[in-house]
Amino acid sequence: MASPPLTSPQAVDLAVRVGTLELGNPILSASGTFGYGLEFAHLAPLEQFGGIVTKGLSLEPLLGNPPHRICETASGMLNSIGLQNIGIRRFLDQVLPDLADYPAKVVVNLFGTTPDEYVRLAELVEPQPGIAAIELNVSCPNVKRGGIQFGHDPELLGDLVRRIRAVTGKPLIVKLSPNVTTPAAIALAARQAGADALSAINTLVGMAIDTRTRRPRLHTVKGGLSGPAIKPIALRIVFDVARASGLPVIGIGGIETVDDVLEFLLAGASAVQVGTALFRDPRTAARLVGDLRQRLFEDGIASARELIGGVLLEPGA
Amino acid sequence: MASPPLTSPQAVDLAVRVGTLELGNPILSASGTFGYGLEFAHLAPLEQFGGIVTKGLSLEPLLGNPPHRICETASGMLNSIGLQNIGIRRFLDQVLPDLADYPAKVVVNLFGTTPDEYVRLAELVEPQPGIAAIELNVSCPNVKRGGIQFGHDPELLGDLVRRIRAVTGKPLIVKLSPNVTTPAAIALAARQAGADALSAINTLVGMAIDTRTRRPRLHTVKGGLSGPAIKPIALRIVFDVARASGLPVIGIGGIETVDDVLEFLLAGASAVQVGTALFRDPRTAARLVGDLRQRLFEDGIASARELIGGVLLEPGA
Amino acid sequence: MATRDVACRVLGVECHPLPYYTISLETPPDFPEVAPGQFVMALADPGRDPYLRRAFSVFDVSRAEGLPRLELLGKVIGRGTSRLAARRVGDNVHVLGPLGRGFRLEGAGRAALVAGGVGSAALLLLARALHAAGSAFDVLYGGRRADDLACADRFADLASGAGGELVAVTEDGSRGRRGLVTEALEDGLAASRWHSVFTCGPTPMMARVAALATRHGVPGQAALETPMGCGYGACLGCAVPHRDGRFALCCQDGPVFDFDEVSW
Amino acid sequence: MATRDVACRVLGVECHPLPYYTISLETPPDFPEVAPGQFVMALADPGRDPYLRRAFSVFDVSRAEGLPRLELLGKVIGRGTSRLAARRVGDNVHVLGPLGRGFRLEGAGRAALVAGGVGSAALLLLARALHAAGSAFDVLYGGRRADDLACADRFADLASGAGGELVAVTEDGSRGRRGLVTEALEDGLAASRWHSVFTCGPTPMMARVAALATRHGVPGQAALETPMGCGYGACLGCAVPHRDGRFALCCQDGPVFDFDEVSW
Ligand SMILES: Cc1cc2nc3c(=O)[nH]c(=O)nc-3n(C[C@H](O)[C@H](O)[C@H](O)COP(=O)(O)OP(=O)(O)OC[C@H]3O[C@@H](n4cnc5c(N)ncnc54)[C@H](O)[C@@H]3O)c2cc1C
Ligand SMILES: Cc1cc2nc3c(=O)[nH]c(=O)nc-3n(C[C@H](O)[C@H](O)[C@H](O)COP(=O)(O)OP(=O)(O)OC[C@H]3O[C@@H](n4cnc5c(N)ncnc54)[C@H](O)[C@@H]3O)c2cc1C
Ligand SMILES: Cc1cc2nc3c(=O)[nH]c(=O)nc-3n(C[C@H](O)[C@H](O)[C@H](O)COP(=O)(O)O)c2cc1C
Ligand SMILES: Cc1cc2nc3c(=O)[nH]c(=O)nc-3n(C[C@H](O)[C@H](O)[C@H](O)COP(=O)(O)O)c2cc1C
Ligand code: FES
Ligand code: FES
């Protein structure tokens, strides 16, 4: 490498950008896996996070699904929380002000069941200087269009993103569902509709049955699979959508070790989100920041940005 | 239960049918994970298998992909063998005759890159009394239709199955790809085109990168994910396609324990195939037959057939 | 709320007999005080099988050579509990805790502690606290058979030292009274023996305990069990249907709930 | 081909020092004879992390109290090798083996055994066999530093007992000759010291060894390493590019190949 030798781990530059979103380091907490962040400040050094993606927020508070909501599977878990959240207004009034004390960038994860709901959410978020970016959870069924998920249809997705784009100047990140034949087609539609970035992946639809009771392990029968089990799928989708869309991508799915972070950056991610691993160990995200710094130092890599998309392919691949 | 009490594990009836395919028990080896069966008779008691699904067979022998072809992932593995096989003719001439010595039913797994190839394969298989059923691997790109996978397009799939149906009276099993938005739509197309049964799932497309070398861990960059990691996804797809199509289904994906077998039967599978677990332990399939017998005995269940589709759902689910 | 995430050295594993076992862990000196009914999330093995931690009530605490010790009472059920049982002296177990809201002792009066099998794990510290506070209590300890009443003698000593007794109940009659522990409870409630009831065990048992106590106008608390993804409020996986129609979090709002908080 | 799948009791784990270790396993009495260069697939832990077995050359075999013992030489790299290193006396390790095609000794003449690091694991039984056959041989044992030459003394004893010697080579010069083991090989080949070469180590090293031997007209065999899903021919994951344009299976056609079989 041509760069001057690094004198210490502190000399490593971890800053990355995801489009216009600038992050002190590429490690964020994933939506729905670390609440609104603040609640867990006693368990994890929030100030070290590159960013915090909030629990999914809707216009009105949601109570969520009845139990059972989770079960463990091989190297992963299924969840069907039912998008329980405090609602956008309470978030803006009661949580956001305190989050301002942390250098971590705040990304709000938004979802609705009609485009109007998404637009209204974006309008409420737009004037808030404390919010650095919007992540759209599009793995929700559009109630007006017969319940097809927004994220499963390029046209539906394109219309949705266009309408939100019209009301916000904040970096707009579309979170991709892995449960589609061609994620790249959805990614292209997002780009054409004005999205600034993508995040991938949300959970895969799965199921488990308790053979003693013969009942599904989740009240809702099916739920979302997350954790290390899904990492290979996530990595493939990040690789594909980064190449197909040219948009910056935030990689998500089973990230737990610094090697996982490097894999996603090499595959084309500009940053990553850590989800299920936080349940196992709330300090995972902060640990990864330190481990990444140390690893790049040891490998003589001056900036995390050097890794992005750096996977070496045979000519023609 | 109304049935008379079981006097011994031997009294449990393990026989199942998958459409017109009758099996002594519901445990088969999965395609590509136990060769042509015979090679491993010294390591596993083949005679206990309900059936053996052969390595995928094509008209001409295939050499397969250059290394690396596999890598381990969390509770699973990626493979990109490249469908290496000895070709249908050598199989029929040199392997099939010896397989006749075993009570396990022989299911041939067939693939091609044009519908004509598939039809030709089915024609060669049709006169063979030693072959109990055909399983179609439709996770191959149709070279004539721009490389879209047969299994990703209901229309393409329907055309393919119709043509094969026309030349064979053997039970015809369509093996579903999990890499689609709506497996149920593919299942319906298979049914309408005359398939007798479905098997699900094939592997999920995934990827892994060696962070030391920055190279993909597989020569082909992407590969198929299998093993316990994918079980929740497989179970969901089995549940969905069994209900949507009404066809009998053979469940595949991460099966390793008797609880896994029960889960798949309860979700709607009439039989199961064991794949990756055979790599870890070649005796897995035979062990599962014994464990299933013992478990049903302990639970006082007279026949494995009682379990099929027996998951208990809340009203309305 | 002081919660720590610490590596604890295994001091010993004892079988009572299997599937029941106790494991003693040496914690760092500054490990916080544990309230009766609180729990820890334990990671027995650095590997991914199982991937998530498992919740364990803090069965007992002690001090030796200045270092606090935690004792957990486990029952081998699946992957998590068997991993923990397989630890050996000198191994490390990672522990996040103490977590959750424990039992509230105010106004307990003469109390019934109703344990179902390994549910007793949540009740020993409570028995100690009642004993220390000079409150009388009985321990109703139920199981299928004698072996299910692991560490019953510890409860017997504490109860008799506090002017109460251990009432052992087994379904097969192999120890103590034959029948269900809830039958013993019902008899005592009918005789107005207790001012309060504390329980931990299988959910159907606890629901029955709560119904019986409520019918007799006796207040009480239950230490609930739900699947838990994190134990500290992040996953929202541990929903408990609350009487008010909302969902409480077992790990944060509980695991101990008043009988009348829960929509059983 | 006799292959068994057996649970073996761990008799001991020794560090040489870490990351290198040897583990001794007690096999059932009827465990088959192991040929030099053969390997086993070991499952160190009943859990799923890692999920697949790992291949280990059989480093040594012995007999004690009538029971055959296997010794494996491991280097801690990732999840599989560290699990195995963490086993304790009395634990069980599942072993499928012996597997594969070992070294062919006919016409070895005076031989060079070229080991790179933990690749030495495949060469000790070979050294024993040559010693027993009265063939002279030298062992060229290379590594980064002295610690990488685990169990070098065993090789030294065997080699000197057979009229040869151990040539230790380290990149940092901390033991023996400074440099690469292939340089030592080249010198000996130039001096026509050997009739055959046997090697195991990192693939680039073996490729160089094969190229050098071939250039000097000396035949040889290499014990190759590839990722292995099953070790017994089922997964087709262990492809080795063959000179004839096809793919050989490392686990079945190898792991030992003649230098001129492999498309390096
Ligand atoms: C607050 C709290 C405190 C707890 N305290 C303790 C404690 O002190 N000691 C203790 O041993 N456990 C305790 N548990 C339960 C413990 O955390 C585990 O969830 C439980 O033991 C099963 O974990 P596992 O990994 O062994 O089984 P898993 O592998 O997670 O599951 C095993 C299988 O068994 C089934 N299963 C679950 N429960 C039972 C059951 N009771 N009987 C039969 N099958 C069952 C599951 O459906 C699953 O199929 C507590 C739980 C909570 C929430
Ligand atoms: C026929 C055969 C015989 C073998 N004999 C032995 C033996 O006797 N002793 C022994 O210790 N091993 C032996 N191996 C290798 C062993 O089977 C493991 O594959 C290897 O040690 C890594 O396994 P792991 O689970 O520790 O690492 P994994 O968790 O599987 O991989 C760890 C990581 O390290 C990387 N990696 C792989 N190899 C190396 C390396 N050499 N240096 C640095 N990083 C690496 C991988 O890319 C991966 O990212 C043999 C392999 C074969 C095929
Ligand atoms: C319990 C739980 C709740 C989640 N809630 C949300 C959510 O509200 N909105 C969202 O976009 N994703 C949600 N996710 C998905 C995660 O943000 C993430 O995309 C996924 O879990 C994969 O990452 P992981 O494997 O690191 O967990 C949730 C995941 C889990 C496990
Ligand atoms: C190494 C390997 C090779 C495979 N080859 C084939 C094949 O030739 N044809 C096919 O239809 N499926 C093939 N499969 C897919 C399996 O039959 C099975 O659908 C999949 O692995 C999921 O099951 P499992 O998790 O039990 O392995 C292969 C899988 C593996 C792991
Ligand atoms: S266990 Fe995760 S919120 Fe309670
Ligand atoms: S390792 Fe599976 S075929 Fe060789």
Side-chain angles (χ1 to χ4, degrees):
Chain A
M1 313 271 151
S3 24
L6 292 162
T7 51
S8 81
Q10 297 317 312
V12 172
D13 180 7
L14 292 184
V16 295
R17 326 165 128 242
V18 180
T20 54
L21 172 64
E22 305 198 355
L23 301 170
N25 68 65
I27 314 289
L28 298 88
S29 60
S31 179
T33 64
F34 219 54
Y36 312 102
L38 278 183
E39 312 93 289
F40 312 118
H42 63 296
L43 291 175
L46 284 192
E47 61 281 3
Q48 294 176 27
F49 288 35
I52 294 167
V53 184
T54 67
K55 175 80 194 138
L57 290 160
S58 49
L59 277 178
E60 300 304 325
L62 282 180
L63 295 180
N65 291 330
H68 290 176
R69 292 180 169 186
I70 56 170
C71 77
E72 183 161 341
T73 63
S75 296
M77 65 181 281
L78 289 167
N79 90 79
S80 159
I81 306 303
L83 295 167
Q84 175 175 343
N85 78 97
I86 58 174
I88 185 75
R89 289 185 188 83
R90 202 171 132 206
F91 171 76
L92 295 178
D93 294 349
Q94 294 175 23
V95 181
L96 187 58
D98 291 332
L99 273 174
D101 297 346
Y102 293 93
K105 291 295 168 71
V106 176
V107 178
V108 285
N109 179 284
L110 305 178
F111 71 93
T113 53
T114 63
D116 288 349
E117 285 179 27
Y118 278 97
V119 168
R120 186 75 200 109
L121 283 161
E123 286 169 347
L124 288 168
V125 162
E126 184 56 14
Q128 301 288 343
I131 295 178
I134 294 174
E135 179 179 67
L136 296 182
N137 176 358
V138 293
S139 299
C140 302
N142 179 343
V143 291
K144 293 213 175 139
R145 285 279 291 269
I148 309 176
Q149 289 183 24
F150 290 100
H152 285 188
D153 181 322
E155 215 181 302
L156 217 56
L157 193 272
D159 290 346
L160 179 70
V161 172
R162 241 181 308 275
R163 289 201 47 198
I164 300 168
R165 176 79 291 170
V167 301
T168 185
K170 292 197 191 288
L172 188 58
I173 306 163
V174 173
K175 184 165 179 178
L176 300 175
S177 161
N179 303 294
V180 298
T181 314
T182 323
I186 311 288
L188 270 176
R191 184 201 178 113
Q192 279 154 12
D196 298 298
L198 306 168
S199 55
I201 59 175
N202 213 317
T203 54
L204 284 127
V205 183
M207 179 175 170
I209 296 173
D210 185 331
T211 59
R212 286 180 306 136
T213 62
R214 298 198 183 180
R215 292 187 188 284
R217 285 191 185 276
L218 298 178
H219 180 87
T220 53
V221 182
K222 300 182 212 167
L225 183 65
S226 63
I230 70 170
K231 195 188 75 171
I233 301 167
L235 205 67
R236 176 260 301 179
I237 293 178
V238 165
F239 178 78
D240 279 351
V241 301
R243 285 158 67 106
S245 73
L247 286 179
V249 180
I250 306 180
I252 323 173
I255 293 170
E256 184 186 18
T257 68
V258 66
D259 269 302
D260 298 333
V261 174
L262 295 180
E263 272 189 274
F264 275 90
L265 296 181
L266 291 169
S270 304
V272 299
Q273 294 176 20
V274 183
T276 302
L278 291 167
F279 301 157
R280 177 173 153 119
D281 180 355
R283 291 179 300 191
T284 306
R287 171 174 54 74
L288 286 178
V289 176
D291 288 357
L292 181 61
R293 184 180 290 290
Q294 182 63 29
R295 174 69 168 267
L296 295 191
F297 171 67
E298 283 165 12
D299 289 358
I301 298 169
S303 159
R305 295 186 298 278
E306 289 178 29
L307 293 172
I308 299 169
V311 61
L312 299 174
L313 302 175
E314 308 279 319
Chain B
M1 315 268 150
S3 23
L6 292 162
T7 50
S8 80
Q10 296 317 312
V12 172
D13 180 7
L14 292 184
V16 295
R17 329 166 125 239
V18 180
T20 53
L21 172 65
E22 304 197 355
L23 302 170
N25 68 64
I27 315 289
L28 299 89
S29 59
S31 178
T33 64
F34 217 55
Y36 312 101
L38 278 181
E39 311 94 289
F40 313 118
H42 63 295
L43 292 175
L46 283 191
E47 60 282 4
Q48 293 177 29
F49 288 36
I52 293 167
V53 185
T54 67
K55 177 77 196 140
L57 291 160
S58 48
L59 278 178
E60 300 303 327
L62 281 182
L63 295 181
N65 290 329
H68 290 178
R69 291 177 169 190
I70 55 169
C71 77
E72 183 161 342
T73 64
S75 295
M77 64 180 282
L78 289 168
N79 89 78
S80 162
I81 306 302
L83 296 167
Q84 174 175 344
N85 79 93
I86 59 174
I88 186 74
R89 289 186 185 81
R90 204 171 127 205
F91 170 78
L92 296 178
D93 293 350
Q94 295 176 21
V95 181
L96 187 59
D98 291 330
L99 273 174
D101 296 345
Y102 292 92
K105 293 294 168 70
V106 176
V107 179
V108 285
N109 178 285
L110 305 179
F111 71 94
T113 53
T114 63
D116 289 349
E117 284 179 28
Y118 278 97
V119 168
R120 187 73 200 110
L121 284 161
E123 286 170 347
L124 289 169
V125 162
E126 185 56 14
Q128 301 286 344
I131 294 179
I134 294 175
E135 179 179 68
L136 297 182
N137 176 0
V138 292
S139 298
C140 302
N142 178 342
V143 292
K144 291 214 176 140
R145 284 280 290 271
I148 308 177
Q149 289 184 24
F150 290 101
H152 285 189
D153 182 323
E155 213 180 304
L156 216 56
L157 191 272
D159 290 346
L160 179 70
V161 172
R162 241 181 308 274
R163 288 199 51 196
I164 300 166
R165 176 78 292 171
V167 300
T168 184
K170 292 199 191 286
L172 187 58
I173 306 164
V174 174
K175 183 165 180 179
L176 300 175
S177 160
N179 303 295
V180 299
T181 315
T182 322
I186 310 289
L188 269 176
R191 184 201 178 113
Q192 280 152 12
D196 297 297
L198 306 168
S199 55
I201 57 176
N202 213 316
T203 54
L204 285 127
V205 183
M207 176 175 171
I209 297 172
D210 184 332
T211 59
R212 286 180 306 135
T213 62
R214 299 198 182 181
R215 292 190 189 281
R217 285 191 184 277
L218 298 178
H219 180 86
T220 53
V221 182
K222 299 182 214 168
L225 183 66
S226 64
I230 71 170
K231 194 188 74 171
I233 300 168
L235 205 67
R236 178 260 301 180
I237 292 177
V238 165
F239 178 78
D240 280 352
V241 301
R243 286 159 67 104
S245 73
L247 286 179
V249 179
I250 305 179
I252 324 172
I255 293 171
E256 184 186 19
T257 69
V258 68
D259 269 301
D260 298 334
V261 175
L262 295 179
E263 272 189 273
F264 276 90
L265 296 180
L266 291 169
S270 303
V272 299
Q273 293 176 21
V274 183
T276 303
L278 292 167
F279 300 158
R280 178 174 153 119
D281 180 355
R283 291 179 301 192
T284 305
R287 171 175 53 75
L288 286 177
V289 176
D291 289 356
L292 181 63
R293 184 179 290 289
Q294 181 63 27
R295 174 69 168 266
L296 295 189
F297 170 66
E298 283 166 12
D299 290 357
I301 298 169
S303 158
R305 294 185 298 279
E306 290 177 28
L307 293 172
I308 298 168
V311 62
L312 300 174
L313 302 175
E314 306 280 319
Chain C
M1 183 184 56
T3 300
R4 296 284 313 278
D5 185 5
V6 294
C8 298
R9 215 170 67 88
V10 175
L11 298 169
V13 182
E14 216 180 309
C15 302
H16 292 286
L18 283 178
Y20 298 95
Y21 62 96
T22 47
I23 182 166
S24 292
L25 303 172
E26 184 176 76
T27 68
D30 57 345
F31 196 78
E33 242 1 75
V34 180
Q38 283 194 304
F39 68 99
V40 297
M41 294 296 287
L43 188 67
D45 184 276
R48 298 194 194 103
D49 186 8
Y51 187 63
L52 299 172
R53 298 183 188 224
R54 291 293 184 270
F56 287 87
S57 303
V58 176
F59 183 49
D60 210 349
V61 293
S62 59
R63 250 173 200 284
E65 295 155 31
L67 290 182
R69 292 182 175 189
L70 297 181
E71 197 180 358
L72 311 179
L73 171 64
K75 179 182 180 186
V76 174
I77 304 238
R79 310 183 90 92
T81 47
S82 54
R83 276 270 173 215
L84 190 66
R87 291 307 82 179
R88 309 259 195 102
V89 175
D91 284 348
N92 269 337
V93 169
H94 287 262
V95 158
L96 178 73
L99 292 160
R101 205 177 59 148
F103 292 104
R104 289 159 298 283
L105 275 68
E106 311 83 57
R110 186 176 180 97
L113 275 55
V114 187
V118 75
S120 63
L123 299 176
L124 190 73
L125 281 186
L126 175 65
R128 278 203 197 293
L130 291 170
H131 183 271
S135 312
F137 62 92
D138 302 304
V139 177
L140 283 56
Y141 196 163
R144 288 237 171 102
R145 27 192 207 96
D147 278 358
D148 290 319
L149 311 188
C151 305
D153 297 343
R154 295 209 216 174
F155 285 99
D157 291 349
L158 284 167
S160 62
E165 57 168 342
L166 171 77
V167 181
V169 188
T170 53
E171 291 178 37
D172 68 355
S174 55
R175 178 161 181 185
R177 173 173 169 166
R178 178 195 294 266
L180 299 173
V181 72
T182 45
E183 294 160 4
L185 176 71
E186 197 161 13
D187 293 350
L189 286 169
S192 302
R193 192 170 162 84
W194 303 297
H195 301 105
S196 62
V197 174
F198 299 86
T199 187
C200 185
T203 306
M205 182 206 90
M206 290 195 284
R208 178 100 185 111
V209 168
L212 289 171
T214 305
R215 188 189 309 155
H216 287 88
V218 176
Q221 298 165 38
L224 299 194
E225 242 190 57
T226 65
M228 285 192 176
C230 67
Y232 66 90
C235 73
L236 307 185
C238 59
V240 171
H242 197 277
R243 270 283 155 83
D244 68 9
R246 292 187 299 166
F247 296 107
L249 292 183
C250 187
C251 71
Q252 245 181 209
D253 304 320
V256 176
F257 292 91
D258 290 337
F259 287 165
D260 59 10
E261 282 181 284
V262 180
S263 169
W264 287 98
Chain D
M1 181 185 53
T3 300
R4 296 284 314 278
D5 184 5
V6 294
C8 298
R9 213 170 69 87
V10 174
L11 298 170
V13 181
E14 216 180 309
C15 301
H16 291 286
L18 283 177
Y20 297 95
Y21 61 96
T22 49
I23 183 166
S24 291
L25 304 171
E26 185 176 75
T27 68
D30 57 344
F31 195 79
E33 244 359 77
V34 180
Q38 282 193 304
F39 67 100
V40 297
M41 293 296 284
L43 189 65
D45 183 277
R48 299 196 193 101
D49 186 8
Y51 188 64
L52 300 171
R53 298 185 189 221
R54 292 292 184 272
F56 286 87
S57 301
V58 176
F59 184 50
D60 210 350
V61 293
S62 58
R63 257 180 191 276
E65 294 154 34
L67 290 180
R69 293 183 174 189
L70 297 182
E71 196 179 1
L72 310 179
L73 170 64
K75 178 182 180 185
V76 173
I77 304 239
R79 309 183 90 94
T81 46
S82 54
R83 276 269 174 217
L84 190 66
R87 293 304 84 177
R88 308 258 196 103
V89 175
D91 286 347
N92 268 339
V93 168
H94 287 263
V95 159
L96 178 74
L99 294 159
R101 206 177 59 149
F103 291 103
R104 289 160 297 284
L105 275 68
E106 312 81 60
R110 185 177 182 98
L113 276 53
V114 187
V118 74
S120 63
L123 299 176
L124 190 73
L125 281 186
L126 175 65
R128 279 205 195 292
L130 291 170
H131 182 270
S135 310
F137 62 93
D138 302 303
V139 177
L140 283 54
Y141 197 165
R144 287 237 172 100
R145 30 196 204 90
D147 279 358
D148 291 318
L149 311 188
C151 305
D153 297 345
R154 296 209 212 173
F155 285 98
D157 290 351
L158 284 167
S160 62
E165 57 168 341
L166 170 77
V167 181
V169 188
T170 53
E171 290 179 38
D172 69 356
S174 55
R175 178 163 181 184
R177 173 173 170 166
R178 177 195 296 266
L180 298 174
V181 71
T182 44
E183 292 160 5
L185 175 71
E186 198 162 11
D187 293 351
L189 286 168
S192 302
R193 192 169 163 85
W194 303 296
H195 302 103
S196 62
V197 174
F198 299 86
T199 185
C200 184
T203 306
M205 181 206 92
M206 290 194 285
R208 177 99 186 111
V209 168
L212 289 171
T214 306
R215 188 186 312 153
H216 287 88
V218 176
Q221 299 165 36
L224 297 195
E225 241 190 60
T226 66
M228 284 193 176
C230 67
Y232 66 89
C235 73
L236 308 186
C238 59
V240 171
H242 197 279
R243 268 286 154 80
D244 69 10
R246 292 187 299 166
F247 297 106
L249 292 184
C250 187
C251 72
Q252 240 180 214
D253 304 318
V256 176
F257 292 90
D258 289 337
F259 287 164
D260 59 10
E261 282 182 285
V262 180
S263 169
W264 287 99

